[in-house]
């Protein structure tokens, strides 16, 4: 059975190490693409032997097949290749003993007893922090895995890079620069990344994103201030989070996957707009993760904007690494577009 590079998702391509000169030209049996560079599935024996060593047969009735588990855990196969995944695994091990039965349900082996079911890792994590143990949660026993994910996704922002913050104001006179930075600690209300009393600076990479994020509507006046980094800073990049490459993992795969999914989820949770009707206890899990990122020595987090598609936000834990422009600009919003979706 032949496979091609398009059979796999970009972040975990076991054929990446194969050079084109080693390929035949043919039709891919796994994903169906015709007339392309193909390799016999057996060339992937070492990589899949290592990957399957993290798995065990499961006798839980609802457990997925091994191929389904690989797909659910790592998003390994491209969409068109998924139906043939079990046949592909059989072809990889055509001349070798299969490490575990391919037709039995399987799951990641849990080397850490705390990780009972990684498919609901976020639900367990939030329930524990919100309702059981606010300051010493079970997740704290997994710190080494969080640390590896966070530090491997850290990005450097050089000095002189501009970010933006917008605030709605009452009059065309706008707001002075002193009111554009983060509030003093005693006045800091809770946000998705910061607990009450601990202010963070919420910025955007684009002025349009900052205006969208401050919820300005037509005829509002908005002051937009520029903030420039004054030193190199390091931020956790959640705006373009690539999943773990399962072929790079040597041990504790279930715990690493838990940690990676939790950090990836942090990026999506930070995107959710804060509403006055929110119960602030719901912010505790993201506040804990942001605090962990800060504890690991990073200066902030980059995450996508849900209010301005393709826009990126940044939360900085401290405003001492940026300088506010002394001349913020004030705009009147003259028009907004309206998109809607039927919800009831
Ligand atoms: Zn293919």
């Amino acid at each position: 059975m032949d496979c091609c590079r398009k059979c796999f998702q970009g972040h975990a391509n076991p054929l990446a190490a194969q050079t084109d000169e080693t390929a035949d030209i043919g039709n891919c049996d796994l994903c169906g693409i015709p007339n392309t560079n193909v390799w016999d599935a057996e060339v992937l024996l070492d990589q899949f032997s290592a990957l399957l060593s993290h798995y065990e047969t499961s006798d839980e009735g609802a457990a997925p097949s091994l191929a389904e588990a690989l797909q659910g855990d790592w998003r390994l196969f491209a969409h068109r290749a998924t139906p043939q995944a079990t046949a592909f695994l059989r072809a990889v091990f055509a001349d070798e003993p299969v490490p575990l039965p391919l037709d039995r349900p399987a799951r990641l082996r849990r080397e850490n007893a705390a990780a009972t079911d990684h498919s609901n890792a976020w639900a367990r994590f939030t329930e524990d922090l919100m309702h059981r143990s606010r300051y010493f949660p079970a997740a704290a026993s997994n710190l080494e895995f969080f640390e590896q994910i966070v530090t491997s996704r850290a990005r450097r922002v050089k000095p002189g890079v501009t970010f933006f913050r917008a605030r709605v104001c009452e009059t065309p006179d706008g707001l002075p620069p002193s009111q554009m930075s983060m509030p003093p600690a005693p006045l800091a209300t809770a946000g998705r990344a910061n607990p009450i009393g601990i202010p963070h600076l919420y910025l955007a990479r684009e002025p349009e994103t900052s205006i969208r994020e401050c919820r300005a509507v037509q005829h509002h006046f908005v002051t937009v201030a520029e903030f420039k980094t004054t030193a190199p800073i390091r931020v956790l990049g959640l705006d373009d989070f690539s999943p773990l490459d399962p072929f790079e993992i040597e041990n504790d795969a279930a715990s690493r996957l838990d940690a990676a999914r939790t950090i990836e989820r942090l990026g999506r949770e930070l995107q959710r707009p804060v509403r006055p009707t929110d119960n602030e206890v719901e912010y505790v899990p993201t506040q804990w993760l942001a605090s962990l990122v800060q504890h690991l020595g990073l200066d902030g987090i980059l995450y996508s904007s849900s209010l301005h598609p393709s826009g990126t936000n940044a939360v900085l834990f401290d405003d001492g690494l940026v300088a506010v422009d002394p001349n913020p600009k004030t705009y009147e919003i003259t028009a907004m577009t309206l998109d809607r979706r039927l919800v009831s």
Side-chain angles (χ1 to χ4, degrees):
M1 182 176 197
D2 288 334
C3 56
C4 76
R5 290 204 177 100
K6 294 242 168 71
C7 294
F8 306 98
Q9 311 258 22
H11 64 276
N13 200 321
L15 285 169
Q18 303 285 337
T19 59
D20 287 350
E21 295 79 56
T22 62
D24 293 330
I25 294 170
N27 302 329
C28 178
D29 300 319
L30 179 49
C31 76
I33 290 181
N35 189 3
T36 187
N37 283 345
V38 293
W39 290 263
D40 191 297
E42 289 181 57
V43 304
L44 299 176
L45 177 65
D46 289 348
Q47 281 142 302
F48 276 86
S49 294
L51 178 55
L52 297 197
S53 72
H54 302 305
Y55 281 81
E56 62 188 6
T57 298
S58 169
D59 43 21
E60 290 167 12
S65 72
L66 177 61
E68 288 167 343
L70 288 176
Q71 187 64 351
D73 292 341
W74 311 107
R75 293 170 242 166
L76 180 61
F77 298 101
H79 174 68
R80 293 198 296 180
T82 310
Q84 300 289 335
T86 299
F88 163 76
L89 292 174
R90 207 164 275 128
V92 170
F93 294 95
D95 294 330
E96 297 289 330
V98 183
L100 70 169
L102 299 180
D103 50 358
R104 295 271 308 279
R107 65 179 187 189
L108 272 177
R109 184 178 298 112
R110 288 164 183 79
E111 288 155 60
N112 176 349
T116 52
D117 179 3
H118 60 89
S119 65
N120 66 2
W122 181 257
R124 273 187 289 115
F125 172 72
T126 55
E127 172 72 15
D128 186 45
L129 266 159
M130 289 195 300
H131 302 304
R132 208 166 291 130
S133 182
R134 179 78 32 97
Y135 298 106
F136 298 95
S141 64
N142 236 3
L143 284 192
E144 67 171 292
F145 302 115
F146 282 112
E147 181 169 3
Q148 285 165 6
I149 299 291
V150 168
T151 52
S152 69
R153 263 92 176 152
R155 295 178 62 188
R156 192 157 164 264
V157 181
K158 295 191 167 187
V161 173
T162 305
F163 290 86
F164 301 87
R165 182 172 185 225
R167 291 188 72 189
V168 173
C169 51
E170 299 284 324
T171 71
D173 296 335
L175 295 168
S178 59
Q179 289 186 38
M180 295 306 294
S181 197
M182 61 189 201
L187 300 181
T189 55
R192 292 208 184 269
N194 73 291
I196 185 168
I198 301 180
H200 288 354
L201 184 59
Y202 290 86
L203 301 170
R205 287 184 75 180
E206 310 83 16
E208 297 81 11
T209 308
S210 71
I211 292 172
R212 291 278 180 185
E213 290 286 341
C214 80
R215 322 274 190 97
V217 297
Q218 198 165 6
H219 302 312
H220 270 161
F221 297 110
V222 180
T223 299
V224 180
E226 294 186 15
F227 291 78
K228 266 196 173 57
T229 48
T230 54
I233 64 175
R234 286 203 311 149
V235 294
L236 171 62
L238 297 182
D239 53 327
D240 188 17
F241 188 91
S242 60
L244 287 183
D245 180 344
F247 299 105
E248 296 283 313
I249 292 176
E250 292 178 0
N251 52 23
D252 293 305
S255 298
R256 291 177 200 282
L257 184 60
D258 264 12
R261 285 199 172 159
T262 302
I263 296 293
E264 185 178 16
R265 181 67 179 258
L266 168 65
R268 296 204 300 278
E269 292 292 315
L270 289 176
Q271 287 182 30
R272 295 172 57 196
V274 168
R275 296 175 198 278
T277 52
D278 285 347
N279 181 347
E280 287 185 8
V281 75
E282 292 170 9
Y283 303 162
V284 169
T286 49
Q287 291 169 354
W288 187 87
L289 284 166
S291 179
L292 174 64
V293 173
Q294 183 180 17
H295 172 72
L296 293 173
L298 273 65
D299 302 301
I301 303 171
L302 287 180
Y303 57 100
S304 300
S305 169
S306 60
L307 298 174
H308 185 232
S310 81
T312 305
N313 289 312
V315 55
L316 300 186
F317 305 133
D318 184 350
D319 61 3
L321 296 167
V322 287
V324 62
D325 185 294
N327 298 303
K329 296 183 175 65
T330 297
Y331 302 91
E332 181 184 1
I333 305 299
T334 52
M336 308 274 294
T337 58
L338 176 67
D339 296 327
R340 60 184 182 171
R341 102 186 136 88
L342 190 64
V343 293
S344 64

